[in-house]
Amino acid sequence: MEKRNVFKTISKLFLGLVVLIVIIFGGLILFNESPELFIKEKIAAADWKPKDVEEDLEYKILDREVEYGYRLLVESPKYMGPTAEDPNMRYAGNNLACVNCHLKNGTQAGSGSWVGILERFPQFSGRDGKESTIEDRINGCMERSMNGEKLPEDSKEMEAIIAYMEYVSEGIPEERKSEFKGYPPIELPDFAADPQKGKELYAKECAVCHGDDGQGQRLAEAEKGYLYPPVWGEDSFNHGAGMHRVITAAEFIKSNMPFEEATWDNPKLTDEEAYHIAAYINSFERPQKANVEQDFPDKKLKPVSTPYGPWTDDFSPEQHKYGPFPPIIAYYKEKYGISKSK
């Protein structure tokens, strides 16, 4: 009798275990086929927001690798700047942080956001003359915007930066992806950008943060870099950076400046105002990148506002730097069948 009861108990336990396994696997299959059945309320695409890294840090739920990537990008001078504690980590040649340009921790649309960026690589780079990886793109910034040296592609630093980019992109709806890509274009006028007009606008709209001398404002913890970065001079991006092109700089300025007052879909400045300010900022001296003549192996692919030669046309260096750009764009369309927007 006692053996029979033990047998019944074991049978019931076994049967319960089988039922539990069936329920679990059935649930997994159903979730894989119809995940919406398990979601109480689907987040509308318009309501989606990138991850809030500072909130996740506060609640101590941020992956360790992602947190390291965040530190590298937000406190770049401290971790990989010219005065970094570890001499082997001094990859950047200036005291800019990556987030001085990629705003709101790389999540602000219209500021070269990292949201969704991994899906766009590899992609062809005219400047490199080849299919470029995300590692190539990051190192392009290291050599140009950061005026420094490449990070080793297999380093834990490179892997952490990419992990952070993946983290802020999590769950992005398909219909929002274009919003976070690059900078919204401006309408190019048929006249040259005027640094003198830009100077007047800069004094009115920009100097309060970046200073009359364009040298920005350091953070209270100076080793972490700048609250507002320098826009020219020895601690700024070098002349091989994309931001040294007037059109690119104007697109960024219109979509993001003045900081906290403008967004890509609600700008404060007009296209023309941003165009002149970009000319003024880029009229000053800044670090010179070596070997820029090797950029764009196919010189026909060079952006029209690239301020350094050689070019495959007879337009002057002055016009390549300040415009007007529509005649150059028309030339490449007519002669080479190449459609350029900048």
Side-chain angles (χ1 to χ4, degrees):
M1 187 75 173
E2 188 176 335
K3 287 183 179 179
R4 188 181 302 170
N5 289 337
V6 170
F7 180 75
K8 283 183 177 180
T9 301
I10 293 173
S11 298
K12 287 178 180 179
L13 289 172
F14 180 75
L15 182 61
L17 181 62
V18 170
V19 171
L20 180 62
I21 291 171
V22 170
I23 291 172
I24 291 172
F25 277 93
L28 288 172
I29 293 170
L30 184 60
F31 178 79
N32 188 54
E33 303 240 345
S34 305
E36 67 277 2
L37 296 177
F38 295 80
I39 300 172
K40 286 185 177 180
E41 184 178 352
K42 187 177 179 181
I43 297 175
D47 296 328
W48 179 87
K49 294 179 181 178
K51 290 275 192 175
D52 186 335
V53 62
E54 291 169 5
E55 182 177 279
D56 286 356
L57 275 171
E58 182 182 349
Y59 288 105
K60 301 185 186 305
I61 59 173
L62 196 63
D63 177 87
R64 188 169 296 177
E65 184 180 40
V66 171
E67 180 177 352
Y68 184 46
Y70 166 77
R71 300 293 180 197
L72 290 166
L73 295 164
V74 173
E75 302 173 14
S76 312
K78 178 179 177 180
Y79 287 93
M80 54 184 180
T83 58
E85 185 176 347
D86 181 355
N88 294 319
M89 281 293 295
R90 294 172 184 170
Y91 290 102
N94 59 32
N95 290 289
L96 299 182
C98 301
V99 296
N100 286 146
C101 288
H102 304 275
L103 304 175
K104 299 289 179 69
N105 300 325
T107 66
Q108 180 158 303
S111 70
S113 172
W114 299 316
V115 175
I117 192 171
L118 298 185
E119 294 185 15
R120 303 197 290 273
F121 285 87
Q123 64 175 241
F124 179 76
S125 165
R127 188 165 65 189
D128 296 337
K130 65 181 180 69
E131 285 287 307
S132 289
T133 62
I134 186 61
E135 291 85 355
D136 293 326
R137 184 68 188 88
I138 291 167
N139 276 330
C141 280
M142 289 300 301
E143 289 189 302
R144 296 167 189 271
S145 297
M146 308 298 279
N147 191 37
E149 302 173 4
K150 294 179 178 180
L151 290 169
E153 291 193 4
D154 59 353
S155 65
K156 68 175 184 177
E157 286 73 32
M158 180 67 80
E159 291 173 357
I161 288 170
I162 293 172
Y164 177 78
M165 292 175 174
E166 184 174 19
Y167 159 82
V168 295
S169 304
E170 189 175 310
I172 180 173
E174 188 67 35
E175 53 266 55
R176 296 286 301 280
K177 290 179 180 179
S178 61
E179 174 186 331
F180 291 91
K181 184 178 179 181
Y183 315 125
I186 65 166
E187 185 175 342
L188 295 175
D190 57 3
F191 50 81
D194 185 340
Q196 186 57 43
K197 290 181 180 178
K199 180 180 180 179
E200 296 168 5
L201 289 161
Y202 177 91
K204 178 183 175 185
E205 303 287 357
C206 315
V208 65
C209 292
H210 298 284
D212 292 330
D213 59 358
Q215 300 311 292
Q217 298 179 38
R218 293 298 287 257
L219 288 162
E221 297 177 81
E223 74 276 8
K224 293 184 179 179
Y226 290 93
L227 176 62
Y228 303 113
V231 288
W232 64 77
E234 285 305 307
D235 217 25
S236 186
F237 54 86
N238 68 39
H239 89 302
M243 205 62 73
H244 190 47
R245 300 197 294 261
V246 161
I247 297 175
T248 300
E251 290 174 343
F252 173 85
I253 290 166
K254 186 196 172 187
S255 292
N256 300 286
M257 296 293 131
F259 186 56
E260 301 284 22
E261 294 184 46
T263 58
W264 71 274
D265 57 348
N266 188 28
K268 180 179 181 183
L269 301 170
T270 66
D271 290 5
E272 185 178 328
E273 287 171 334
Y275 184 60
H276 293 314
I277 292 172
Y280 176 65
I281 287 170
N282 281 314
S283 68
F284 289 92
E285 292 297 319
R286 61 182 65 256
Q288 299 292 292
K289 186 183 184 301
N291 304 315
V292 291
E293 68 279 356
Q294 296 175 15
D295 289 355
F296 300 95
D298 183 350
K299 300 297 186 247
K300 297 191 302 295
L301 301 182
K302 219 170 196 178
V304 296
S305 58
T306 306
Y308 55 83
W311 304 277
T312 52
D313 58 60
D314 295 325
F315 295 95
S316 69
E318 179 85 1
Q319 186 164 352
H320 273 290
K321 185 166 185 175
Y322 296 119
F325 298 109
I328 309 178
I329 291 171
Y331 171 85
Y332 279 89
K333 179 65 176 176
E334 182 178 349
K335 185 170 179 63
Y336 299 111
I338 299 174
S339 297
K340 299 192 179 195
S341 58
K342 61 180 180 181

